[in-house]
Structure formats: C-alpha cells, structure tokens
C-alpha cells in the first residue's frame, strides 16, 4: 500500500510549491493528502489518522494530534522554528521531527530591514528621519536568519555584533561580526535583533533591565517569537522611554496596551505586522516547502537521512 503524506498548513504554501511537493511524492510512489487553510483543530485531528508522514508550518503538533496519528513516523516543519511541535511526545511515539532551517531566512532578513527603514523614516510621514549607515546592530542568536540580516547590514554600512552560545567567537568574527560575550552586552547597541528559538530559557527573557540599557534611539526588532519578550516590561519601557522603538513580526494577542503606550507614534516607534509575515514571500513559500532532504535537520531520535550535526553552525545542537 502506498504511503501517505499529509500536508497540513493552516496558512497554505504557494500553489507552485505544493505542485512540486506533489510531483516529488508521486515519483516516489507516495500519496499526498492536502489539508490547507483549515479552520480548526478538529479538521487536523481528523486528517492525521492513517498518515505516515506530515508536512506542517506553524501548525501545532501536540499530544492530541499524536494520539490520533496512529501511523505517523515523521513530521517535517517546513520552516525554522519548531516550538509548535511537542518533541517529547514525538519521541515517546518514535516519531522523528525535522525542520528546514535557512529556507526562509532571506525573507525574514528583508522584513527586518523593511521595519527598520519604516521606523527610521517615521513611517514616511513627511518629517525628517535618520539613516542606518554607521549605526550598530546586535544579534541575539547568529543562525541563518541573523546572518542574512548581517549581510544586508554590511551593505547598509552598519556595524554588526553577535552573541550565540552555540557558535564559537572566532566563527562569529570570521563572518564579519563582533562577538559579544553576554546577552546583556548586546543591549549596548542601538539595534538589537532577536533570532533565538522560543525555549524555557528564552521565554520572556527580554525584560526591562535589558531594554533600559539600550542607548538613545534603542530599537528592539523581534522576528523570532513574541513570547521571547516580556510583555508587561515592554509596555512599561515604551511608556517610560519616548525614544525607544519596538518592531515586531506579529502583534501580541492584546495589542491595546502597547498602542496606548506610544499614542500617535504607532507605526513609527511601534510596528506590528498584521499576521506573522517573516516567511510570507513567494520565494520563502517555495523554498521552505521543498528543502533538499540532506539539508533538513532532525531534532530528536530516529534521524533517518544522514548526519544531523550542524555543518555550518546554524542549527541548535548541544552548547559548545
Ligand atoms: C519559521 O519559524 O520558519 C517562521 O516563523 C515561519 O513560520 P510560518 O510557517 O508560520 O510562516
């Protein structure tokens, strides 16, 4: 019997990318089952029964989903962040979990610059803004996305700094950024761009103490996960520091206290995208949907496709 792969994407991929997935699977004699733009968890729970593999985006794969997925062997998160997958529950069922890091990195990097430029030019409201040249940007996490931002920053004539506990300082230097030895050290620079996964360690870790250290015009750019930033602290910092900016890919659930903190500076000092938009480009949709198999990375046991060790330091392995 042909094996079945479920494509479960609440936010669908580009049709062309889905077509490519379909033809790869057809050639390998697999059946593709599509659940795109679905509206509720029940649809997902019904669709996972009997499938051998799953391709997802930010779709939640938790215990409830795994309980229904009686044949599941592998789940591939087409994208970088895999905080939507319950790895422990996968492991308990011997389900391999993989992601496709780097595939949407350029899309996110361009969004970072888009938000920086909109903020620096006061949302094009006719008032005088400032240039990015010679300004400093510090990266918390220096994986694929941060490095793509760094490349653009070099083009803009900015100076880059980076802290990443998984990457040796000399590697960071080799890539043209100044290594920083502590998280707090990043906040001495005007721009701090977050590129860390959401983990117990990073959750709500960007707090008032760090943010208040930032120099005049300090701007935090968050294209990671909103939960990495301590919400109440952020609202307080926005209120107490009229020079401070927060640029974030996707608004928190309750946007009102944030808006109230900045008043008519919403769209300049405070920028939120309507939906998570970092990976929402034609190119990223295509890339993330069909990463070559030897480039995917497994995050638990049962790795089927070769060496899971990071070849270019972009993946979260054990701390060095
Ligand atoms: C990622 O982790 O790759 C991005 O956040 C993209 O997420 P998405 O698939 O929901 O657009």
């Amino acid at each position: 019997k042909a094996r079945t792969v479920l494509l479960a994407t609440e936010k669908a991929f580009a049709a062309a990318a889905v077509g490519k997935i379909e033809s790869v699977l057809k050639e390998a004699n697999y059946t593709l089952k599509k659940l795109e733009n679905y509206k509720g968890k029940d649809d997902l729970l019904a669709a996972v029964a009997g499938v051998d593999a799953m391709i997802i985006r930010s779709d939640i794969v938790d215990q409830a989903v795994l309980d229904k997925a009686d044949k599941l062997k592998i789940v591939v998160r087409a994208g970088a962040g895999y905080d939507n997958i319950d790895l422990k529950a996968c492991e308990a069922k011997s389900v391999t979990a993989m992601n496709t890091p780097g595939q949407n990195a350029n899309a996110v990097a361009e969004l970072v610059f888009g938000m920086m430029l909109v903020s620096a030019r006061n949302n094009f409201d006719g008032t005088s803004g400032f240039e990015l040249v010679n300004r400093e940007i510090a990266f918390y996490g220096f994986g694929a996305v941060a490095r793509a931002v760094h490349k653009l920053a070099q083009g803009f004539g900015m100076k880059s700094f980076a802290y990443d506990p998984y990457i040796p300082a000399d590697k960071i230097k080799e890539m043209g950024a100044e290594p920083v030895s502590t998280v707090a050290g990043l906040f001495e620079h005007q721009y701090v761009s977050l590129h860390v996964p959401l983990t117990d360690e990073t959750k709500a870790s960007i707090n008032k103490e760090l943010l208040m250290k930032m120099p005049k015009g300090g701007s935090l750019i968050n294209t990671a996960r909103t939960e990495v930033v301590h919400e109440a602290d952020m609202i307080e910092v926005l209120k107490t520091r009229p020079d401070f900016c927060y640029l974030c890919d996707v608004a928190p659930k309750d946007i009102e206290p944030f808006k109230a903190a900045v008043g008519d500076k919403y769209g300049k000092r405070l920028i939120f995208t309507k939906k998570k938009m970092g990976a929402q480009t034609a190119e990223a949709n295509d890339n993330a949907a069909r990463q070559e198999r030897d480039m995917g990375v497994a995050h638990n046991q049962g790795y089927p496709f070769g060496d899971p060790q990071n070849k270019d330091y972009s993946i979260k392995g054990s701390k060095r």
Side-chain angles (χ1 to χ4, degrees):
K1 186 181 168 290
R3 297 222 162 134
T4 304
V5 177
L6 173 68
L7 175 67
T9 48
E10 204 167 0
K11 222 167 39 178
F13 280 124
V18 177
K20 284 170 191 161
I21 293 176
E22 206 151 19
S23 65
V24 168
L25 290 177
K26 203 169 169 194
E27 209 172 296
N29 207 21
Y30 282 70
T31 305
L32 177 63
K33 181 172 168 185
K34 287 187 265 186
L35 180 71
E36 296 179 282
N37 300 310
Y38 64 94
K39 297 283 174 256
K41 181 108 176 192
D42 286 348
D43 298 337
L44 180 60
L45 292 175
V48 294
V51 306
D52 298 278
M54 275 175 91
I55 300 170
I56 56 164
R57 293 185 68 163
S58 295
D59 310 77
I60 309 285
V61 173
D62 55 11
Q63 189 69 57
V65 171
L66 291 163
D67 285 345
K68 297 278 179 198
D70 51 334
K71 297 260 166 59
L72 191 67
K73 292 158 198 76
I74 179 165
V75 53
V76 180
R77 193 288 196 234
Y82 49 93
D83 45 298
N84 50 322
I85 304 178
D86 185 335
L87 291 184
K88 276 206 182 105
C90 281
E91 191 142 347
K93 279 196 73 162
S94 297
V95 171
T96 297
M98 298 179 78
N99 67 345
T100 62
Q103 291 299 89
N104 53 32
N106 188 65
V108 183
E110 290 190 15
L111 179 71
V112 168
F113 264 84
M115 293 197 293
M116 279 164 71
L117 288 168
V118 167
S119 173
R121 295 302 181 98
N122 299 323
N123 200 10
F124 314 115
D125 69 352
T127 62
S128 181
F130 61 86
E131 298 175 29
L132 298 178
V133 67
N134 294 328
R135 293 185 188 259
E136 298 182 342
I137 183 162
F139 300 102
Y140 183 11
F142 205 52
V145 178
R147 276 178 247 169
V149 181
H150 165 57
K151 205 168 136 197
L152 298 180
Q154 286 178 312
F156 271 80
M158 298 179 81
K159 190 162 170 34
S160 295
F161 299 80
Y163 168 80
D164 189 318
Y166 301 93
I167 305 180
D170 59 324
K171 291 283 169 199
I172 289 176
K173 227 181 165 81
E174 244 171 54
M175 291 186 266
E178 198 56 46
V180 173
S181 56
T182 60
V183 175
L186 297 168
F187 289 79
E188 289 166 16
H189 304 285
Q190 183 180 356
Y191 288 97
V192 172
S193 196
L194 305 179
H195 300 288
V196 287
L198 176 62
T199 62
D200 289 344
E201 191 186 344
T202 62
K203 195 172 180 178
S205 67
I206 307 303
N207 56 23
K208 188 176 166 193
E209 196 189 331
L210 291 173
L211 297 170
M212 291 307 281
K213 279 185 198 293
M214 292 183 87
K216 196 167 178 335
S219 299
L220 183 77
I221 311 154
N222 184 4
T223 53
R225 294 289 181 262
T226 46
E227 295 90 337
V228 171
V229 172
H230 191 293
E231 276 200 13
D233 281 11
M234 175 55 83
I235 293 165
E236 212 182 311
V237 173
L238 284 167
K239 266 190 212 153
T240 51
R241 279 191 63 168
D243 65 311
F244 178 83
C245 305
Y246 182 39
L247 320 175
C248 185
D249 184 15
V250 88
K253 278 194 190 79
D254 185 9
I255 192 171
E256 293 313 322
F258 285 88
K259 278 187 165 173
V262 297
D264 64 359
K265 293 283 194 296
Y266 184 62
K268 303 173 202 171
R269 285 186 55 213
L270 180 62
I271 297 177
F272 285 136
T273 52
K274 280 203 174 114
K275 249 183 160 183
K276 186 143 75 75
M277 301 213 35
Q280 289 286 69
T281 65
E283 292 84 352
N285 271 205
D286 192 43
N287 292 339
R290 54 186 193 91
Q291 183 160 38
E292 298 302 323
R293 71 176 194 172
D294 62 346
M295 288 164 69
V297 175
H299 293 283
N300 58 3
Q301 54 75 42
Y303 188 77
F305 298 141
D307 178 9
Q309 284 310 307
N310 177 14
K311 295 178 193 92
D312 63 357
Y313 298 98
S314 65
I315 319 305
K316 308 294 173 261
S318 55
K319 279 193 193 185
R320 293 182 172 81

